[in-house]
Amino acid sequence: MAQQHLDPTAGPVAGDALAAYLQAQATEFLRALRQHRETGGATATATNGAEEAVDAARALRRSARRISGTLHTFRPLLDEGWSEGMRPELAWLSGTLAREHAYGARLDRLLAALHRLSGSSALPAQASDPDAHPGTHPGARAQLPSEKGALTVGAAKAGALLERQLTLARTRAHSAALQALGSSRFHAVADNVAVLASEVPLTASASASVTGLKPLAAAAEERLCDAVAGLPLITAGHPYNAEALVHGLSADTAPQPQDSPWHQVRLLLRLHRYAREVLFGDEAPVDVRLLTAGQALDRHRDAAEAAAAAASAARTPRIAPATAYALGVLHADQRHEVEAARFAFQRAWLRETVGTP
């Protein structure tokens, strides 16, 4: 595999480059916060100003992630007490704001998958007659007529169950986000970011040349490569490897053990991307290989969480056998999507690095 070496043109000192990046992200954070307040804190569940508020919340998460990730990667160049106190608060904010969107996207994904698998003419949760004969759909998997009928009968109830559970979770996440944005804890975070926009607490070592950033960025890349080396890429080279289905609908509610290393690689890849942004600034080239690999890991995360939601719904007491069957098929389908995403990552990662200006 060809490695891309970080070699930006020598220019300003490390402290100047790092401070400029952090200040730009802090300014973006404050701009998004002002936009969010101007829309009245509406979110995707509201009608008026929903799109603007969703964009503002996304921008808040985006800048909070970048500030937190940069503080982690380049912490030797920053005041230790300040950065170690700010990072977990930014992670808390980003995670709190992300949950509502995640639940909504998960519901849409699962309903679309049920629609595709059952071949019905309407989304399962919207079907008025669950016993209606299923239509054909080019994306539907081949099944025996009796299996297709059983899936269609249970798909409507499975969709309704998922909609109830995930809508409730989304509503609670919405309330938690509003509560967080009005809390003294959030106001403390916003105050710290406002200070960061004008002054970055750097250490004396940050006054070295710009090469002071390169060893820390290279260390982030090395951690990513080491984590990828621990992944079963040979297994992932076989599409739709269903080994993970063994853990699917068992009574054990623990997270799928095979997923954790992949989620960790996704986080390390994000830190590596942020480090490149600090090094190259606005002139950072687009690494197609990293972009494709990141997209595959995003799909992996979404499919894994959707499969877990289907498995959780299937454990609901006293549901009809047809509903449980539909949820089991849905879970298996999402685990296949997990394996397909791993396969896509394997192909992207082992590809030669291609950059675009």
Side-chain angles (χ1 to χ4, degrees), residues 105-238:
R106 197 170 305 152
L107 177 60
D108 291 342
R109 180 188 184 94
L110 289 169
L111 292 182
L114 276 175
H115 170 57
R116 168 173 52 83
L117 291 166
S118 65
S120 59
S121 57
L123 286 175
Q126 300 170 338
S128 57
D129 183 7
D131 296 320
H133 182 73
T136 59
H137 191 282
R141 301 184 186 277
Q143 292 175 306
L144 296 175
S146 59
E147 293 176 333
K148 175 68 77 173
L151 176 59
T152 306
V153 168
K157 292 183 178 180
L161 176 60
L162 288 168
E163 188 162 20
R164 285 196 303 272
Q165 292 183 347
L166 292 177
T167 299
L168 176 61
R170 184 182 182 183
T171 301
R172 289 174 174 171
H174 171 67
S175 300
L178 291 180
Q179 184 176 4
L181 291 174
S183 66
S184 58
R185 183 179 183 182
F186 170 73
H187 288 299
V189 174
D191 290 343
N192 286 331
V193 174
V195 173
L196 178 63
S198 59
E199 181 181 359
V200 179
L202 300 170
T203 62
S205 60
S207 60
S209 67
V210 74
T211 56
L213 296 174
K214 294 168 65 176
L216 298 174
E221 182 178 16
E222 184 178 354
R223 287 192 293 269
L224 169 64
C225 294
D226 289 344
V228 172
L231 296 176
L233 291 185
I234 296 179
T235 302
H238 302 285

Side-chain angles (χ1 to χ4, degrees), residues 243-330:
E243 179 183 352
L245 292 176
V246 166
H247 304 276
L249 297 177
S250 67
D252 186 6
T253 58
Q256 167 56 247
Q258 290 188 10
D259 294 340
S260 297
W262 294 86
H263 295 333
Q264 180 66 15
V265 167
R266 177 176 173 272
L267 294 177
L268 293 173
L269 179 59
R270 175 181 290 173
L271 292 177
H272 174 48
R273 282 177 34 231
Y274 298 164
R276 284 170 49 85
E277 292 177 3
V278 174
L279 282 177
F280 291 97
D282 296 334
E283 299 179 356
V286 177
D287 190 325
V288 178
R289 171 172 160 269
L290 289 180
L291 180 63
T292 306
Q295 291 171 344
L297 291 174
D298 287 344
R299 294 197 302 272
H300 176 276
R301 188 268 318 265
D302 294 343
E305 292 180 347
S312 177
R315 297 187 184 97
T316 303
R318 299 183 297 277
I319 60 174
T323 306
Y325 172 77
L327 290 169
V329 172
L330 180 61

